Amino acid sequence: MTDIESRIDTSRPHTARIWNYWTGGKDNYPVDREAGDRIRELHPGIGDYAKADRLFLGRAVRHLAEREGIRQYLDIGTGLPSADNTHEVAQRVAPDARVVYVDNDPLVLAHARALLVGTPEGRTDYLDADLRDVDTILAAAAKTLDLSEPVALMLLGVVIFVEDDEESYAVVRRLVDALAPGSHLVLSHTVTHPDMPDVDAAVAFWNEHGTPKLTQRTPAAVARYFDGLDLLDPGVVTCSAWRPETPAPPVAMYAGVGRKP
């Protein structure tokens, strides 16, 4: 058994595996499916969030690759491989795009090494690190990415695992500050909203039974992560409303894309 395999805990549900279950993946265990079904009972639309977030990722990366000329991506908290991962979307537009994935989930890392293979012209690398390990992430990413050139910093559904508000803002700011002008922040975050009380019940169940625990924030608090950046239209909105190809109902995942001036 490898070190990574020894770290995989199948006795408790895990957010990456539940997310995988909701999006139709097979990289999950009975404990994950049981928890996922229970959460879906509390909030029937929860599975749509995972799909909406994945579609937002695709639209954001396509825009950055096609319209902004971004050729470098730092994807932190990537989750389990699924359809249209960051490198697949980016390298479909620009085969020479470079992507560094970062995650500290052992199952994610095990699958990433096997499945996330990029184009011959580009490069795809992986790093075992926590979002809070900013110095480690930047030093390792610099071996693949040229941090003096624009980078897309992808933080989809990962800042929710930093409980302290000020720490979460500080981590994102340190990462953005280390990137060149013209870089972009792509971020999504679960929100608490008075129009969606069942979301709060689902999160409470998760935090009691699952790992790691997550923190909801208001839409205004999510927008604060983009302070100092030039927000791309339509701003920070439910991720299903960020430049959708077809209209979709709102979900309690808010997202935005901001450009570093």
Side-chain angles (χ1 to χ4, degrees):
M1 179 180 293
T2 67
D3 175 62
I4 287 178
E5 291 172 333
S6 69
R7 289 163 47 197
I8 298 175
D9 181 2
T10 61
S11 66
R12 295 187 66 189
H14 193 285
T15 181
R17 301 193 305 253
I18 291 179
W19 209 251
N20 176 264
Y21 171 52
W22 283 336
T23 55
K26 299 179 180 179
D27 300 315
N28 48 73
Y29 297 92
V31 67
D32 305 307
R33 296 189 286 274
E34 181 179 349
D37 289 341
R38 177 62 179 134
I39 293 171
R40 193 148 42 192
E41 289 175 9
L42 294 168
H43 181 51
I46 195 74
D48 296 334
Y49 294 13
K51 296 174 183 177
D53 195 49
R54 174 60 57 166
L55 291 172
F56 163 69
L57 179 151
R59 295 195 301 273
V61 172
R62 278 194 299 275
H63 171 82
L64 294 177
E66 292 176 350
R67 304 292 184 180
E68 306 291 342
I70 300 297
R71 296 294 180 263
Q72 304 187 107
Y73 298 81
L74 178 56
D75 189 334
I76 304 176
T78 180
L80 285 162
S82 182
D84 279 350
N85 301 286
T86 297
H87 76 282
E88 293 172 314
V89 178
Q91 292 176 351
R92 196 175 298 139
V93 176
D96 61 338
R98 295 187 170 203
V99 180
V100 173
Y101 289 105
V102 182
D103 210 297
N104 66 347
D105 182 297
L107 187 61
V108 170
L109 292 165
H111 282 270
R113 292 175 179 175
L115 299 178
L116 298 178
V117 179
T119 60
E121 302 94 325
R123 187 169 172 184
T124 307
D125 285 332
Y126 329 99
L127 173 63
D128 180 1
D130 186 274
L131 170 64
R132 300 172 183 85
D133 298 334
V134 174
D135 292 339
T136 299
I137 290 172
L138 292 172
K143 297 176 182 178
T144 300
L145 309 178
D146 180 356
L147 299 187
S148 68
E149 295 292 329
V151 173
L153 172 62
M154 314 289 296
L155 298 175
L156 275 71
V158 63
V159 183
I160 59 176
F161 300 117
V162 182
E163 181 178 3
D164 182 81
D165 288 344
E166 295 309 315
E167 181 185 12
S168 73
Y169 293 125
V171 167
V172 174
R173 178 52 51 198
R174 286 182 62 198
L175 287 164
V176 171
D177 285 349
L179 303 179
S183 294
H184 288 71
L185 170 64
V186 182
L187 182 145
S188 67
H189 197 299
T190 303
V191 298
T192 180
H193 196 290
D195 294 339
M196 302 176 178
D198 47 349
V199 176
D200 297 345
V203 170
F205 175 86
W206 171 257
N207 284 342
E208 181 180 354
H209 299 281
T211 184
K213 299 185 186 305
L214 62 88
T215 298
Q216 294 167 279
R217 294 184 170 93
T218 65
V222 175
R224 186 179 160 191
Y225 290 107
F226 295 92
D227 284 356
L229 304 179
D230 298 327
L231 268 174
L232 276 60
D233 290 335
V236 178
V237 296
T238 176
C239 63
S240 56
W242 198 91
R243 306 188 180 194
E245 296 169 1
T246 57
V251 296
M253 288 285 293
Y254 271 55
V257 180
R259 182 183 187 276
K260 182 177 179 178

